[in-house]
Amino acid sequence: MKKFKPVILFFIGSFVILIVSSLLYWNFYQNNPGEVNHLRLEEWSQPVDIANNISTSNYDTLFTEEVNNLFTIEDENDQRTIKQTVFNNSGEIQETNEIVRADQLGSPEAISYLGEDYLLYFAGTSSSNQNLKAKNLNDLENPITFRENIEFPGSLTAVETDDMLVLAYIERDQELGENVLTTKAFDDINGEEIFSNTYSFENGAFFPKLNTIDNEIFLAWHQRNPDTMFVSGQQDRYNRYVLNIGQLDIETEELNKLAEPGEAFGNNANIDTAVYNDQLWISWVKFDSETESQFIHTGYLNDDSFQEHSSIQGFNPSIFIDEEKKLINSRPLGVQARAGLFTNKLSDDEITGTQRIFPAFNYSSNSKIIDYENNKHLFWTEPASTGANVYYSNTIEPEDNNIAELLGLNTIESLMEIMSSLAIYFFYPIVGFTMGMLNILIPVLVVMLIIYLLRKKSSGFKDLANDNSLIAFAGIITGIIAFNLIIQGDMQYLFFLNQPPASQIPLIIGVVTVVSLGFIYLLDYDRDHSLYIGIGTALLWFYWLYQAALVYDLYSFLI
């Protein structure tokens, strides 16, 4: 039994470190929730995918008293179809229907108007020849055609006022050689138009977005940025647009420009609007050339002037109101081709409360928030083998997380996963131990040289060092800590692969030191071997240090 005691004590020490480090991490999370971004916020452990392999990221939703609807575009047999997916609040698919089939389809926009549910869309034989149509979802056999033979239309957007339905979209004007902005209004979809106007701009029009405040119609759109029109190379795709905000005068049918907030890295998913306290809030994306990152900028119209609010790294913003202003956005994760969803609060003058949603996914983008009957419904896309999959969650409200979720242990579902998790915990620190040898090799050699010289000079010290393993252990540990503080200037250099929060490092060192002292105290060994036991325990201390640090990053291996 004696020969197995070191092995038993090693495993006991490792599990003590796992438990105590987990409790320390949990306490850190309780006091610093904003610094832990991997925890889930959803009620479900996983959301559900309700549409697969859609061909474009353009999708729309429609919630009614009877059903929830998702409309997506899919490629099928050299044609495109708009599919309707009917699902309940639990994400269970009840039925799927083909709404329309054509050679070319685009911009599905679902609305409820005058008690009827409609799907608006473009359909035609090619991108350069399409019709603007609508289908009553209760009468699919009789589509309504608003306009025919539109060249390269897109970015369809619609809003409803008390007495009309207003549409806006872009189309190509071949004579001008530019995109123009078209608006239409109806009091009855089956009736005549109230107005139909086309607005042209010197630098074209792109990505319109409509919204209303007290029956006043506001429109945000992009125009080409004249400063980047003739820039060649990689930068010609950055900030190619300028964001514009205007108001559509119903009586004069004029589009009155109100503000030009600035440059934009535009596409349909990179602009969103919301109304809060009778103010039009806008979020859009701008590329920062210094950091080479996309940043979401937010602001609002204040008495016909634009007031910028704040910015945060990310793309594909979705603003929504839940007693306060909030923002869902995608953000790169620091790993190539990975992005996560984050939720944020728009406080008085800054963006706060940033926390990641659904950490198990790899590239979450194109988010959309639906507020229906005071419940928030979240949609977004993930890459698929072809195209993308649409995911759905019936809530984005935070719930209390437990320590298993903090560590990522809640994802373990089988004995094989338990074994692989233990393998990571016991073997991965060896990699960090090996890489960190440089930070301990010098102090270990210096301490060993000092002990050797003192043993030569003093027989009393020789007897003490041979009889007490704490001499070598304490000397090596003190040397390692002193070396990193004096030479490196920071205890963070003790850790290579896993960097725990700086405030946790003294606690981790304390826990590992106590466990190591317990290892020496409980170990049965011959006193003549004390020097070697002290040296070995010091190296074990360094291994355990990496095990404790791994606890703070264990989730990255499991979710």
Side-chain angles (χ1 to χ4, degrees):
M1 183 67 181
K2 181 179 179 180
K3 64 180 181 180
F4 292 110
K5 193 169 186 178
V7 177
I8 295 172
L9 290 176
F10 164 75
F11 282 108
I12 291 174
S14 293
F15 283 112
V16 169
I17 287 172
L18 173 63
I19 293 170
V20 177
S21 297
S22 299
L23 294 175
L24 290 175
Y25 189 20
W26 176 252
N27 181 69
F28 173 80
Y29 163 67
Q30 297 294 315
N31 297 320
N32 305 274
E35 296 187 36
V36 180
N37 290 328
H38 68 274
L39 286 178
R40 67 183 178 92
L41 297 182
E42 70 278 16
E43 288 181 356
W44 304 335
S45 60
Q46 296 291 340
V48 295
D49 57 327
I50 57 175
N52 301 111
N53 301 111
I54 65 173
S55 56
T56 77
S57 59
N58 290 331
Y59 65 90
D60 202 20
T61 61
L62 182 64
F63 281 62
T64 68
E65 294 182 0
E66 294 79 19
V67 294
N68 307 331
N69 300 278
L70 170 71
F71 299 95
T72 57
I73 298 177
E74 300 179 19
D75 291 328
E76 189 175 299
N77 299 327
D78 296 326
Q79 287 188 312
R80 283 191 163 181
T81 64
I82 295 181
K83 292 288 183 66
Q84 175 193 31
T85 302
V86 180
F87 60 97
N88 61 24
N89 283 355
S90 296
E92 297 171 343
I93 297 175
Q94 298 172 331
E95 61 178 294
T96 59
N97 303 301
E98 181 180 300
I99 301 298
V100 62
R101 176 184 292 266
D103 292 331
Q104 188 59 249
L105 288 167
S107 298
E109 184 81 3
I111 59 167
S112 290
Y113 184 63
L114 299 179
E116 297 289 343
D117 301 326
Y118 296 93
L119 178 69
L120 313 176
Y121 57 93
F122 295 110
T125 56
S126 67
S127 299
S128 61
N129 183 15
Q130 298 189 57
N131 303 328
L132 175 58
K133 290 176 169 288
K135 278 195 175 185
N136 187 320
L137 296 180
N138 296 315
D139 183 16
L140 297 178
E141 300 302 321
N142 298 292
I144 305 164
T145 301
F146 298 128
R147 186 180 166 199
E148 297 180 336
N149 303 321
I150 311 172
E151 295 193 40
F152 300 101
S155 302
L156 179 62
T157 176
V159 293
E160 179 186 354
T161 68
D162 288 345
D163 52 8
M164 71 178 68
L165 175 69
V166 181
L167 313 180
Y169 59 90
I170 59 104
E171 60 178 297
R172 186 73 172 177
D173 187 309
Q174 294 294 359
E175 292 185 5
L176 295 175
E178 286 285 2
N179 286 348
V180 294
L181 179 62
T182 298
T183 62
K184 291 179 176 291
F186 309 85
D187 59 359
D188 184 341
I189 284 185
N190 293 288
E192 294 183 0
E193 295 175 344
I194 298 175
F195 65 77
S196 177
N197 293 295
T198 297
Y199 306 95
S200 61
F201 308 94
E202 180 180 357
N203 295 317
F206 306 86
F207 320 123
K209 188 76 69 173
L210 285 167
N211 213 323
T212 62
I213 302 176
D214 294 333
N215 289 321
E216 294 184 336
I217 301 172
F218 295 88
L219 182 63
W221 74 97
H222 292 68
Q223 293 178 210
R224 192 177 291 106
N225 186 353
D227 294 335
T228 61
M229 286 177 63
F230 305 105
V231 176
S232 60
Q234 186 181 20
Q235 290 188 346
D236 68 344
R237 62 188 182 92
Y238 298 149
N239 300 328
R240 293 184 62 186
Y241 305 98
V242 174
L243 178 63
N244 291 263
I245 305 171
Q247 183 174 357
L248 188 60
D249 191 315
I250 301 301
E251 295 182 358
T252 65
E253 302 179 13
E254 293 181 353
L255 179 59
N256 300 314
K257 183 176 176 179
L258 301 177
E260 187 179 290
E263 294 181 329
F265 185 78
N267 62 43
N268 285 317
N270 272 347
I271 179 173
D272 197 25
T273 63
V275 176
Y276 180 74
N277 287 344
D278 291 332
Q279 292 177 327
L280 180 67
W281 280 76
I282 299 178
S283 58
W284 76 102
V285 176
K286 180 178 178 180
F287 186 84
D288 183 81
S289 58
E290 293 185 1
T291 61
E292 295 188 350
S293 302
Q294 296 181 64
F295 278 80
I296 295 171
H297 292 253
T298 62
Y300 58 93
L301 279 180
N302 185 18
D303 295 330
D304 295 337
S305 64
F306 186 78
Q307 179 68 46
E308 187 159 349
H309 178 266
S310 53
S311 65
I312 188 172
Q313 186 180 5
F315 58 96
N316 293 172
S318 296
I319 291 183
F320 67 101
I321 309 301
D322 184 15
E323 296 182 355
E324 56 185 342
K325 305 176 295 295
K326 293 185 179 180
L327 177 76
I328 299 286
N329 70 283
S330 300
R331 191 177 79 194
L333 296 178
V335 181
Q336 188 175 9
R338 291 199 65 191
L341 281 180
F342 290 80
T343 180
N344 317 268
K345 295 180 181 179
L346 300 178
S347 60
D348 291 339
D349 55 2
E350 60 181 347
I351 296 177
T352 61
T354 299
Q355 194 166 9
R356 188 176 174 191
I357 314 174
F358 304 119
F361 292 90
N362 290 324
Y363 199 92
S364 306
S365 59
N366 300 303
S367 60
K368 187 188 295 283
I369 296 290
I370 304 300
D371 187 350
Y372 184 72
E373 294 184 344
N374 296 321
N375 291 321
K376 302 297 185 296
H377 303 264
L378 174 63
F379 300 82
W380 75 97
T381 63
E382 296 285 343
S385 56
T386 57
N389 296 337
V390 178
Y391 280 79
Y392 163 70
S393 169
N394 63 1
T395 179
I396 57 172
E397 293 302 319
E399 67 169 15
D400 292 335
N401 294 282
N402 56 43
I403 195 168
E405 291 171 314
L406 182 68
L407 300 178
L409 301 179
N410 62 305
T411 62
I412 297 176
E413 296 178 347
S414 66
L415 178 62
M416 183 61 69
E417 291 179 342
I418 293 176
M419 299 304 296
S420 62
S421 302
L422 289 174
I424 291 171
Y425 181 63
F426 282 102
F427 289 102
Y428 192 73
I430 296 175
V431 180
F433 177 90
T434 305
M435 295 179 64
M437 284 297 294
L438 180 63
N439 277 341
I440 68 169
L441 185 60
I442 294 176
V444 167
L445 293 176
V446 170
V447 170
M448 292 301 299
L449 179 62
I450 293 174
I451 292 176
Y452 173 78
L453 294 175
L454 288 176
R455 290 178 67 192
K456 287 288 187 182
K457 292 287 185 180
S458 171
S459 60
F461 182 83
K462 179 179 180 180
D463 294 338
L464 182 64
N466 288 339
D467 191 54
N468 192 338
S469 58
L470 293 179
I471 299 297
F473 172 76
I476 292 173
I477 300 307
T478 302
I480 291 173
I481 294 174
F483 175 80
N484 281 274
L485 284 176
I486 296 172
I487 305 300
Q488 303 284 24
D490 196 333
M491 292 300 293
Q492 289 276 16
Y493 284 95
L494 271 174
F495 307 92
F496 274 78
L497 297 180
N498 310 106
Q499 290 277 341
S503 62
Q504 300 289 285
I505 291 178
L507 298 175
I508 291 174
I509 292 176
V511 170
V512 172
T513 302
V514 170
V515 172
S516 301
L517 292 173
F519 177 85
I520 293 174
Y521 178 77
L522 295 173
L523 188 65
D524 294 330
Y525 59 91
D526 295 333
R527 293 303 171 186
D528 291 342
H529 298 157
S530 295
L531 177 64
Y532 305 107
I533 294 297
I535 296 171
T537 305
L539 297 177
L540 183 58
W541 175 91
F542 196 60
Y543 168 85
W544 274 337
L545 197 69
Y546 272 89
Q547 267 194 334
L550 176 62
V551 171
Y552 289 77
D553 200 36
L554 190 60
Y555 70 90
S556 65
F557 296 90
L558 303 177
I559 61 176

